Amino acid sequence: ANILTLTEKPLINDFEKGVLSNHSEIEKIIIDLQKDAIYTSMTGSGSTVFGIFKEKPCLDNYRKYSTHVELFK
């Protein structure tokens, strides 16, 4: 099953809208992730931004945002 269909409701972070309107750097990261990811979001209040990908992404595309970029399977 697709992770996005495992729940009855869409996966939504209630803080995201407010955080993105006040922190454009986080919004830029999410917009960049959305180019390749099937789902993007931030954890909690935005300490981590993540994407879910069908194909293994090129992590070098995201190192401009942080030196801590990891791939989890």
Side-chain angles (χ1 to χ4, degrees):
N2 178 324
I3 192 167
L4 301 177
T5 60
L6 293 177
T7 61
E8 291 180 19
K9 298 179 187 176
L11 303 172
I12 296 173
N13 180 333
D14 293 332
F15 290 111
E16 196 165 315
K17 185 176 181 179
V19 169
L20 297 183
S21 66
N22 291 304
H23 299 281
S24 62
E25 65 277 9
I26 296 174
E27 183 178 33
K28 287 177 188 175
I29 295 169
I30 288 180
I31 289 170
D32 203 18
L33 284 169
Q34 288 173 339
K35 293 175 186 173
D36 298 312
I38 59 170
Y39 178 77
T40 61
S41 190
M42 43 178 239
T43 60
S45 58
S47 61
T48 300
V49 175
F50 67 94
I52 298 174
F53 299 82
K54 284 186 177 183
E55 305 287 329
K56 181 179 175 181
C58 177
L59 298 183
D60 291 339
N61 294 341
Y62 307 104
R63 294 197 194 284
K64 61 187 168 191
Y65 299 114
S66 174
T67 57
H68 187 77
V69 176
E70 291 189 44
L71 178 66
F72 297 96
K73 294 181 180 184

